[in-house]
Amino acid sequence: IPGMAIPHGRWSCRRLTRTPEHTMQRRTKIAVAVRKRPLNRKETERGEADIVSVTSQDSIIVHEPKVKVDLTKYVEDHQFRFDYSFGEDSSNEQLYVECVRPLLDTVFSSGKASCFAYGQTGSGKTHTMMGNPRNMGLYLLAAAELFERTNREHPELSVWCSFFEIYGGKLFDLLNDRKPVLAREDGKKVINIVGLIEHGPLADVQSLMEIIEYGNSNRKTGCTGANEDSSRSHAILHIHLRDDR
């Protein structure tokens, strides 16, 4: 999940209330959600126009400016549909409740679940996934509920994690001085990351976020036109629940 180093500081969280209208009903194994970001300061100063409208909970419209042969200007609308669509005023908490919380049900049912952000530099991936101490991202929101449910419903489980990045076609362990690791397929067709160190058991949300913060500080970053501290790699955080019985 592309991102960058997050600010230092204590993280706080609160339990989010589960309501029927905000609980996503899984119809397929894969769901795609799109989130519109507002124009940033530089775009506003350049007088750029907002050409995307979120028209419903599952569709957006892109208003494409075009010019006819006779130089007449017009706008052509393109509608796109997704499983879920969120406007620029949507919060990370709303995305979490709608899209990510149901994944925890899968995890606590002995399943596997993945969530990743995809988009160009400056599109808001880090804001959505990492957040900051004042605006929690999906990582923290999921971690808070993960520990809360583990302590309340599954005391026999412990939380472990690993964190690595894909950069230049190679894999590096972000929690072990960026030492190279290898992806290998075993006899059961399962991909294993050889040499990756798993850390745990983790006591609480704060310990997990400190590990994520340390790993992000080892990420490859660079300056782009859209972001002065843009990640130049893909990072994957793996959380594993172990049965200690």
Side-chain angles (χ1 to χ4, degrees):
I1 303 169
M4 59 184 173
I6 55 180
H8 291 269
R10 292 291 298 181
W11 297 78
S12 61
C13 58
R14 60 184 176 84
R15 184 176 179 182
L16 301 181
T17 303
R18 181 191 295 267
T19 55
E21 65 270 21
H22 286 141
T23 301
M24 180 172 63
Q25 299 298 323
R26 284 281 179 217
R27 296 187 296 271
T28 62
K29 291 185 177 180
I30 298 177
V32 179
V34 62
R35 184 184 195 183
K36 175 188 174 183
R37 71 156 175 81
L39 295 177
N40 59 37
R41 180 178 55 83
K42 291 182 179 180
E43 292 166 339
T44 302
E45 291 175 351
R46 291 195 296 263
E48 297 184 6
D50 184 347
I51 63 169
V52 177
S53 299
V54 178
T55 56
S56 69
Q57 294 182 346
D58 63 357
S59 65
I60 67 170
I61 294 178
V62 176
H63 311 284
E64 181 187 8
K66 304 189 77 172
V67 180
K68 295 182 179 180
V69 177
D70 61 0
L71 301 183
T72 301
K73 296 181 179 180
Y74 70 103
V75 175
E76 182 175 345
D77 291 341
H78 306 277
Q79 185 175 25
F80 299 90
R81 297 196 65 181
F82 302 85
D83 293 290
Y84 301 91
S85 60
F86 299 90
E88 62 266 41
D89 295 326
S90 61
S91 66
N92 287 345
E93 289 188 2
Q94 181 182 353
L95 264 74
Y96 173 75
V97 172
E98 298 266 3
C99 300
V100 180
R101 169 176 277 163
L103 299 179
L104 290 184
D105 295 331
T106 299
V107 171
F108 282 107
S109 298
S110 301
K112 297 181 179 180
S114 299
C115 175
F116 67 91
Y118 176 83
Q120 68 184 50
T121 297
S123 61
K125 300 181 296 295
T126 298
H127 169 76
T128 299
M129 301 303 295
M130 299 305 306
N132 56 57
R134 296 168 302 280
N135 185 14
M136 295 180 291
L138 300 188
Y139 273 174
L140 178 58
L141 293 169
E145 187 159 350
L146 177 72
F147 279 99
E148 190 272 333
R149 290 184 61 175
T150 299
N151 295 333
R152 175 168 49 89
E153 303 172 6
H154 303 278
E156 75 281 1
L157 299 178
S158 60
V159 180
W160 296 67
C161 79
S162 57
F163 200 17
F164 66 96
E165 73 172 348
I166 305 172
Y167 177 72
K170 298 179 180 180
L171 279 59
F172 301 91
D173 189 342
L174 292 173
L175 303 179
N176 190 24
D177 298 324
R178 295 193 77 253
K179 290 186 177 179
V181 293
L182 301 172
R184 293 290 184 263
E185 184 179 80
D186 62 21
K188 297 180 180 180
K189 305 297 182 180
V190 176
I191 301 298
N192 297 277
I193 308 301
V194 180
L196 185 66
I197 295 179
E198 196 170 50
H199 295 257
L202 304 179
D204 51 27
V205 177
Q206 183 64 31
S207 60
L208 176 60
M209 296 313 298
E210 288 173 355
I211 284 180
I212 294 175
E213 186 173 340
Y214 173 76
N216 273 322
S217 68
N218 292 324
R219 296 280 308 279
K220 280 289 186 180
T221 61
C223 181
T224 68
N227 195 332
E228 294 181 355
D229 192 24
S230 174
S231 298
R232 299 291 85 200
S233 66
H234 301 282
I236 299 175
L237 173 70
H238 179 219
I239 298 177
H240 180 208
L241 296 181
R242 290 187 184 180
D243 191 336
D244 293 330
R245 290 176 296 182

